[in-house]
Every structure is written in C-alpha cells, then in structure tokens.
Amino acid sequence: MKSAAGYILLAGMVLLLAGFLGFQSFFPREEVPYDDDQEGLKDQIVFKFSHVVAENTPKGLAAQKFAELVAEKSNGHIKIEVFPNGSLYSDIEEINALKEGQVHFIAPSTSKLGMLSSQWGVLDLPFAFPSREAALEGLNGKIGQQLLRSLQGDGIKGLAHWPNGFKQITSNQGPIQKPGDLKGQSFRIMQSDVISAQFSRLKAKAVQDSFNSTYKLLEEGDVDGEENTISNIYSKKFYNLQKHMTISNHGYLGYAVMMSEKVWNEQTEDTKKILLEAMEETTALNSRMAFEMNEELLEKIRQNSSIQIYELTPEEKQKWQAKLDPVYEDFSQEIGKNLVEEMKELRAKYE
C-alpha cells in the first residue's frame, strides 16, 4: 500500500510541475540585461598578424605597437592579434597562409619576396645601402614604392617597409676579415638567389633554410655560421653558439608589411583609414628605433658574451665590395636594369 501511495504522489507532482510550466508560458519572460561589452565583442573586427621573430626585436616591437595604435584609434573596435616567433607559420609558409586567408597581416623579410617578384632582389644586393640615411631614402622613395606595387599582381597589398638594419657575419671558423676567409665554410642564409650568389663568389656554401631553423643548424654543426642583424643575433642568442662575429654591414635586412587585397577591399573606409594611420605612425617609429636598437644590442653582446668581434676597416670594406660588386651585373636583367641603376646611383650618393 505504501508503495502504491508513493507512486500516486509522484505522479501528482509530475502533473503539477507540467501544469506550472505550461501556465508560465502565458507570461512574458524577464529580458536578459543589456551588456555593452558583449555587443562590442560580437561586433569587433579581429585580424591575425603572424611573424617569425622574437617580440623584443624591431619587427616584434613594431607589430605590437601597430596593434596598440589600431586598438586606440578604433576605441577597441578593431583588434590585431599578434603571433610572434613563428608560432603560427614559418617564414617559408606565411606568404601562402596570407593568400589562403589563414592570417591577415604578415611582415616577411624582403629576401623571401623574390618568389613573388624578382625585383625584390635589389634590396639583397651587396653593400646596397652605405648608411641608414641611404636605406630610408631608398625604402621611402621610388625604389621602395615600386617594390610594394609589384605585389599587386599576386593579390597582395603592400603597406609599408619596416627596416631592421644591416647584416653581420658570425662563424665558428674565424676570424673573418678578408673575403677569402669564408672559403670552404657553410652559412645559413635566407631564400634569395642574390644572397646565394654572393656566398658563391666568396667560395662558401650557402644553405637556404627558415629563420627558426637557424639555431638548430648552428647547434648541431650543420653550418659553420650565418648572417643576420645584431637584433636577431641577440634575441635568438646565436652569439652563444658562435666564436666569431664580423661587423661588415654587407647587406640590408628589412620587412615588407602586407595584407591580402581581398581582405583589404572588404573593409569599410573607416577601417582602412585607421589601419593606414596606425601603419604610418608605426613605420615612422620603427625607422627611428631599428638602427639604434642594433647599436645598443651590439654593446650588450660585447659585455655579456665571449664571442670575438671584429669590425671591418673602410679599406677592408672596399675589398669586400670589389669582390661582390659583379653581382650587380649578374642580376641586372633579372631584377630590372633600371632598378639596379637606381640602387647604384643611391649608393654612390651616400658613399
């Protein structure tokens, strides 16, 4: 009897609950409180910015500054998510990732862009820029603008040039003072036929590999050395794996900031205006900061490392230039004769 009574009681409670829920549906439900922040997040435009260097380098700092300026100018409506250190894509992969819409901004080294247009090889010519002033004039003038326009055929919008600085040579076989000192050695270089040709003229073996592979190549002894700016040598601690460094300033290393034209064209005029203003301010800051940062970090390497540092004299640098200058003629047709001549004129102006 107790069991039957229990079932009857349970059934009554179920019917009562069902009736209550049905009755409740006749009354309007209380609205969820309005949340400004949630609406802002829903409408927020988010772009991914992928790059392969450390955050404490000229490019890493510039990318972060760009993100801050965009957020500030848009009152948080536009967000740039920065992914440094090749955390999304390597420097070999990122151009395809941009084309496929996996990322929205990249800033590859200009040496990588030969796969898009051979004109970019002009920035890899040996001793192209005798000084930072020469570099900034070239990048901000006709040469730099022509290179950015060359990206349009690949559906890419070139936004700016971000210089890093001048390249130096490190090696475990040294010291390196004369061009002949590189003979028989192997060096990791970027993916550039112009750079590869320079090392061939110096009778050295050039190993083209990604930036993030460089440390492992050095650590395992697969190459004797590498070429890079001081900021990259410092941030990646290449100096811990190398015995010698020569301050040669033999080449320029910089980045081209770019975006998919398709993604760019999808933006409103207000969004474009904010992105361009933030990019212009960031580029001006980067152009001032990059070269100074390399000088400061060189002093830190001197103070905190056992690597032996040798600086080429003006007379020694002339011998290096004489050895490598034939590269200009070798690539005149491939790069474009007019562009090579413009670079030669710019170099002569500042020598």
Side-chain angles (χ1 to χ4, degrees):
M1 294 293 293
K2 289 183 179 180
S3 176
Y7 283 127
I8 293 171
L9 179 61
L10 179 60
M13 292 178 64
V14 170
L15 290 172
L16 181 63
L17 178 60
F20 172 75
L21 292 175
F23 182 71
Q24 188 185 40
S25 66
F26 288 102
F27 291 87
R29 296 183 182 182
E30 184 178 352
E31 292 186 5
V32 177
Y34 179 74
D35 188 338
D36 290 341
D37 291 337
Q38 290 301 315
E39 180 175 306
L41 289 174
K42 181 182 177 182
D43 295 337
Q44 190 178 52
I45 301 171
V46 180
F47 296 111
K48 292 181 180 180
F49 193 142
S50 173
H51 67 81
V52 301
V53 299
E55 294 165 286
N56 60 337
T57 59
K59 178 164 65 171
L61 293 170
Q64 192 55 49
K65 184 63 177 178
F66 175 61
E68 292 171 4
L69 287 172
V70 169
E72 177 185 311
K73 291 176 180 293
S74 68
N75 293 318
H77 179 62
I78 307 172
K79 181 179 181 181
I80 308 290
E81 293 183 339
V82 181
F83 297 87
N85 283 310
S87 56
L88 287 184
Y89 299 98
S90 73
D91 49 356
I92 297 175
E93 301 166 332
E94 60 184 1
I95 293 176
N96 283 335
L98 181 75
K99 287 184 173 183
E100 293 169 1
Q102 303 301 313
V103 293
H104 307 103
F105 289 92
I106 60 172
S109 65
T110 56
S111 298
K112 305 291 188 309
L113 301 181
M115 67 178 71
L116 300 179
S117 169
S118 59
Q119 294 179 52
W120 286 90
V122 72
L123 298 182
D124 286 334
L125 290 170
F127 298 98
F129 297 126
S131 64
R132 70 173 70 184
E133 291 77 18
L136 294 178
E137 180 175 332
L139 297 171
N140 296 327
K142 288 197 306 181
I143 293 174
Q145 291 306 309
Q146 180 174 335
L147 292 176
L148 291 179
R149 286 195 300 270
S150 74
L151 299 172
Q152 293 175 351
D154 287 277
I156 295 173
K157 181 172 180 61
L159 293 169
H161 290 277
W162 285 356
N164 182 323
F166 298 116
K167 294 185 292 185
Q168 321 304 340
I169 301 171
T170 70
S171 174
N172 279 327
Q173 308 293 327
I176 294 172
Q177 301 174 12
K178 306 182 300 296
D181 292 335
L182 268 66
K183 184 177 181 180
Q185 294 194 49
S186 57
F187 294 84
R188 178 268 166 184
I189 67 166
M190 292 180 285
Q191 291 74 32
S192 165
D193 291 341
V194 179
I195 297 176
S196 182
Q198 295 171 51
F199 280 85
S200 293
R201 283 198 166 271
L202 298 170
K203 307 299 182 184
K205 178 184 178 182
V207 177
Q208 299 188 29
D209 212 328
S210 68
F211 176 68
N212 286 335
S213 299
T214 307
Y215 191 95
K216 185 178 180 181
L217 290 171
L218 294 172
E219 186 177 40
E220 296 183 355
D222 293 330
V223 294
D224 296 305
E226 54 86 50
E227 58 161 13
N228 236 307
T229 59
I230 293 297
S231 63
N232 285 345
I233 292 169
Y234 180 84
S235 66
K236 293 299 184 181
K237 296 182 169 54
F238 296 153
Y239 59 84
N240 284 338
L241 302 174
Q242 302 276 261
K243 297 177 182 177
H244 302 276
M245 177 163 64
T246 297
I247 306 302
S248 55
N249 292 340
H250 65 280
Y252 164 80
L253 193 157
Y255 313 103
V257 190
M258 54 184 65
M259 189 177 188
S260 161
E261 268 195 326
K262 178 178 182 295
V263 174
W264 172 260
N265 291 334
E266 291 171 348
Q267 308 310 310
T268 66
E269 291 305 312
D270 283 344
T271 296
K272 291 178 181 178
K273 182 172 182 291
I274 289 169
L275 293 175
L276 289 176
E277 286 181 355
M279 183 60 64
E280 184 177 352
E281 291 180 30
T282 302
T283 301
L285 177 64
N286 172 260
S287 297
R288 294 194 304 269
M289 171 265 295
F291 294 97
E292 295 173 1
M293 186 176 183
N294 280 286
E295 292 173 3
E296 293 170 1
L297 294 178
L298 177 58
E299 290 309 308
K300 287 190 176 183
I301 292 176
R302 290 185 193 275
Q303 296 167 11
N304 302 309
S305 169
S306 62
I307 193 170
Q308 299 297 303
I309 300 175
Y310 182 80
E311 187 165 356
L312 294 181
T313 66
E315 294 75 21
E316 289 170 332
K317 189 175 289 187
Q318 286 180 359
K319 293 179 180 179
W320 283 76
Q321 286 185 212
K323 183 69 176 178
L324 293 174
D325 270 355
V327 174
Y328 282 73
E329 185 61 31
D330 292 344
F331 284 88
S332 180
Q333 294 300 319
E334 183 175 327
I335 293 172
K337 189 172 182 179
N338 290 340
L339 198 54
V340 171
E341 288 302 316
E342 286 179 14
M343 182 62 82
K344 289 167 70 174
E345 291 174 9
L346 179 65
R347 187 174 91 167
K349 175 181 176 180
Y350 283 91
E351 283 180 334

